[in-house]
Amino acid sequence: MPQGLKVRHPTEPPRVAEARTTVRSRPSARVSAVLYAAVPLGVVTLAATGVVLSPGRVLGYLPTASLDVLYSFVRMVAAYALALVFALAYGYYAAARRGGERVMIPILDILQSVPILGFFPVVIVLLVNLTGSSGPYAFLGPNLASVVLIFTSMAWNMVFGVYESLKTLPTELREASDTFQLHGWLRFRRVLFPATINRLVYNSVLSWTGGWFFLVEAEIFTTNGRALAGIGSFLSFSAAKPNANAFAAGLVMLVLVIVALDFLVWRPLGRWAERFRYDQVPSGEGDLSMDRDPSGRIRRAASFVTRGVRTGVTRISTPFVQLATIRRSPTRRGAAAVPRAWTNYVALGGILVLGWLMLIAIIVAIYQVFSGPILPAVRLQILQVPEAMGASILRVAIAYALCLAIALPLAVAIARSSRASRTGLPAIEVIASFPATALFPVIIFGLSRYLTPQGVALLMLMTGMIWYLFFNLLAGARSLAPDLEEAARSFGLRGRGFLRRVLLPSLFPALVTGSVTAFGGGWNTLIVAEYLSVNGVQSLNVLGIGQMIDIGYAEAGGIPLMVTALLTLVVSVIVINELLWKPLYRRAVERFRYD
Amino acid sequence: MALIRVDHVDKSFPTRHGSIAIMQEITFDVRDADFLAIVGPSGCGKSSLLRLIQGLDRPTRGTIYFRDRPVEGVARGMAMVFQNFALFPWLTINQNVAFGLEALGWPPEKIGAQVERYISVTGLEGFEEAYPREISGGMRQRVGLARALAVEPEVLLMDEPFSALDPLTAEGLREEVLQLWRDPQLPPEAVLLVTHNIEEAIQLADRVVVLSRRPGHVLAEVVIDLPRPRDRKSPAFYELTDRVYSLITEGGTVASQGTASNGEGGRPG
C-alpha cells in the first residue's frame, strides 16, 4: 500500500497484540535432537537385527554415499549463493523503487506459482545442447540445470523475505533514518540490510528444506544414465537394484547432513538473527525473558509461519487487490463489484487459454521447420495432453482432500493442546525437514507390490503436499487472537459452536494459504509421481501431465510433447490460481483477517 | 524572531473515497527559547503536523519556514523524538545514539566523544553496549532523546514522547526534558511537543496551541505563565487545564457537550 494512504492516528496504542500468543509451548532442542538421532539409530538397529540389512554392508556403502551427498551439497551451496545475491538485489529494488514494485512483484508472483520442476527437462535439454552431450564440458549441462532448478526453488521465497522486511519496516524507523538523513551505502548497511536479516535467515531454512526436496527429485529424474552423481541418484539406484544396505547407508548420510546443518548452521544463525527482529518489540519493560529462552525454534518457527501467513495473505493478494481497487470506481463498491470481478477472471482465463493454444501452434510450427515433421506417435501423445492434464488435476485434488482430512484435525489438536504440541510437534518437524523425495524410490519399489500404480502416485503426491497444509493450519490455529478466544469463552461458547463460529473462520486465511502452497507442491511433485524408469526398467507409469513431460523428455523426438505438456501445465496452474485461489485470498483478506 | 513559522498550512490525504482533510489553515510560530506544546484530540493531525515541520512530508497548501527559509525536504537543525522510540533493534545503545552523527559524516573519534557526552547527559551510563530490547521503556526513550540531542538540534521535535511510558517513568522523564531545555549549555534552543495529554502540555510548555477535531485547525493559543516548577494541584493549573479541555470538547463539534463553567474561555495572544 502506498505510504500516503495511511492516515496517522497519533494516539493509537502501541501494538502488543502478539505478545501473548506465542509463549505456549517450548519443546527443547533436546527433543528434536533425540528424534533426529532416532532415524539413523533406527536404521542401524534394523541393520543389527538382520531383518533385511547387514550392518557391515551398510557401513561399507557409507563412503560412496557420503561422496554422493557431498556432490549434492555442493550443488545446494552453489544454488543458495546465487539465490542469496538474487534475493537481496531483486527484493531491494522491488521495495525501493515505486515503479519497480508494480512490475517486479507480479512477475515474481507468477514465477513462484509456476511448477518449476516442469521446466527442469527443458532446462536440461537446453543446457546439454549448449555444453554438448559428450566431450569435456558434458558434465556441466545437467549440473548447471540442477543448480538452476534448486535456485528457482530457493530464490522466490527469499526475495519475498527481503521485500517484505523492507516494506514492513515500521514507519517510525524509516522516519528516524530519514530525519537523520542517512543515505546510500550507510543507509543500506545500518538500516536496510539489517532489517532483512531476520526474515532472510528464516526463509533460508525453508529454502534449504525445499532445496533438498528438489535436488533429490532432480537427481532421481536424471537417474537414467546417471547424469547427476548425487544422493538422489544413489538412493534411486539402490532402490531399483534393490539393495537395501546401500539405500540405508544413503538415508543415514542424508539425515546426518541435514541434522548437522540444522545444529551447526541454522540454529546458531537463527539465534543471532533474533537481534534483527523489529516487529513485536513491545514497549514497556524489556522482554529479556523471551529472548533468553534458548529453545526458541518451534516457537520462532510458529511465529514465523504466523507472520508468513499474515504477510503471505496480504502479499499474494496485494497485486490482485490493487487491480480490483483500480478497476472499481469509488462510487460503485460492494455487491456490484463482485460479478464484474468475476467477468474479469473469466476474461483473463480466456486470454491465457488462447495464448496457450497460440504458443503451442508456434512451437509445433518452429519444430516442423527446423527439425522435420513431428513423429506420428508423438502427435498422438500430444493429442492426449488435455486428458492427461485432467487426470493430473483430479489426482492432485484427491490428494489434497486426503491431506486436508489428515492435516486439519491434526493441526487443530496440536495447536489446542500444549502437551500435544510439546511432544508431537518436534516429531512432525523432524519428519517434515526430511525431503520426502528421498523416500520416493522405496515407495515406488517397495509399495508397488501392495498398491496399484494409481495409489503409489497418490501417496507420493500427498508427501509433497501435506506439510504446506499442516504447518499453515497449525500456525493459523495457534495465532487465534487471544481476545477473540477469551470473548468466546466469556460467552460460554465451546465445543462445536466454538469450532464453527470462532476457530474455523479464523483458520480460513491460513487454510487458503496452505491450500495454495500445497497445490504448488503437488504440481511440482507430479513430475516424479507419475512416471519413473530407472536404467530402462519401467517402474511407474500412470496417465498424467507429469508423465507426458517425462515421456517427452525420454523419447526420441519427444520435445514437442514435452513443451506442449509443460505449457499446458503452466497455463492450467495459472488459470486455477486466478479463478480459484486469488478470489479466495481476497475473501480471506477482506472478511476473515483479524488484526 | 520566529524560529519556525507555520503559515496557513493545509494537509489532506487521498483515500479511496476522495481526499480527507487532516488539517486546515494552521498558523503559528515557534520562537527562540520557546517550549511550545500542540494539543488536540485523536486524529486532529498533531503528529502529521510535526512531520510536515521536519520535512518528512509536504503540506498540501501553505508553507513552513525554518529560520525564514521554506522547509523543502528533511531539514537539518531539527531532530525528532518518537512515540514508540524508533530505536534500531540491531544497533547497541551507543550505535543508536551515534546514528545521526554517522549520517552527518563526523569522524569516529568525534562521534565517540559526543556519544559519551549525551549518554551521560541522559543518564544512560552502563548501558552503552546493551541492545534496545534489553532495556526498559523509560531507558529506551532516553536513548531516543540522546540520539536526537547528539546532533545538537536547534529545535527538538517530540511526538507524544511520554505516551508509551508508564505514568511514573513519564513524570520523571518530563522533568529531565525540562531541565535539558533550560540548560544553556545544551542544544535545543526550542522544544516543540505534540501530545494529547493536556496536563502534560500545561506542565511543560510556555504556550499551548490547541487544535480542533479533524480537520484540525487552531482553536486557540494559550499562554502558560505559571511559575516553574508547576504544581499540578494548584487552582491556577486546574483552571488552565479546564479551559483547554473545554476548548477542545466544545470548539471542534457542533453539539456542545455542556461541561465546565468557564467554557467560553478567553483567547489570549
Side-chain angles (χ1 to χ4, degrees), chain A residues 7 36 68 89 95 125 155 181 223 233 277 283 306 370 448 451 490 560:
Chain A
V7 177
Y36 271 129
D68 278 345
V125 170
Q181 297 186 286
T223 300
S233 48
R277 234 174 30 165
S283 43
T306 313
F370 290 102
S448 52
L451 284 173
S490 78

Side-chain angles (χ1 to χ4, degrees), chain A residues 216-446:
Chain A
V216 172
E217 195 165 346
E219 290 175 356
I220 293 175
F221 182 83
T222 55
T223 300
N224 233 338
R226 199 172 160 87
L228 284 171
I231 193 64
S233 48
F234 180 91
L235 287 172
S236 107
F237 263 119
S238 326
K241 249 172 206 167
N243 183 340
N245 294 312
F247 191 86
L251 224 49
V252 168
M253 280 319 297
L254 183 58
V255 170
L256 276 181
V257 169
I258 290 174
V259 172
L261 275 175
D262 186 31
F263 275 86
L264 299 179
V265 179
W266 298 123
R267 283 174 198 234
L269 215 53
R271 271 194 291 279
W272 174 74
E274 280 289 290
R275 177 186 302 166
F276 299 92
R277 234 174 30 165
Y278 50 76
D279 50 354
Q280 298 181 37
V281 183
S283 43
E285 296 310 304
D287 57 339
L288 268 181
S289 58
M290 267 176 73
D291 285 319
R292 286 221 181 106
D293 159 24
S295 80
R297 174 130 188 235
I298 307 286
R299 176 179 55 73
R300 278 185 280 121
S303 80
F304 158 71
V305 179
T306 313
R307 271 180 283 151
V309 173
R310 295 239 176 91
T311 49
V313 167
T314 11
R315 181 243 304 160
I316 300 186
S317 65
T318 299
F320 169 74
V321 171
Q322 276 172 354
L323 215 65
T325 36
I326 291 164
R327 283 193 193 135
R328 273 191 235 163
S329 65
T331 46
R332 236 202 294 170
R333 292 175 71 248
V338 176
R340 246 190 107 190
W342 271 104
T343 56
N344 284 339
Y345 297 133
V346 173
L348 188 68
I351 289 167
L352 274 167
V353 170
L354 265 178
W356 162 67
L357 286 172
M358 278 166 63
L359 264 175
I360 287 174
I362 291 167
I363 287 158
V364 167
I366 290 174
Y367 189 84
Q368 298 232 0
V369 170
F370 290 102
S371 309
I374 290 171
L375 302 173
V378 175
R379 192 179 305 154
L380 273 179
Q381 283 167 322
I382 289 182
L383 291 178
Q384 238 189 327
V385 163
E387 193 189 340
M389 191 65 233
S392 284
I393 291 177
L394 193 64
R395 185 169 295 125
V396 173
I398 293 172
Y400 168 78
L402 292 174
C403 286
L404 188 63
I406 299 170
L408 184 61
L410 196 63
V412 170
I414 285 186
R416 308 293 301 163
S417 143
S418 61
R419 204 160 37 133
S421 61
R422 246 195 309 279
T423 53
L425 203 52
I428 290 171
E429 198 199 16
V430 169
I431 298 168
S433 73
F434 186 77
T437 37
L439 293 175
F440 281 9
V442 236
I443 295 181
I444 293 171
F445 294 103

Side-chain angles (χ1 to χ4, degrees), chain A residues 83 86-87 90-91 105 108 154-164:
Chain A
F86 177 80
Y90 198 101
I105 293 304
L108 208 59
M154 288 175 157
W156 316 146
N157 146 50
M158 288 162 66
V159 173
F160 277 121
V162 171
Y163 170 75
E164 274 158 24

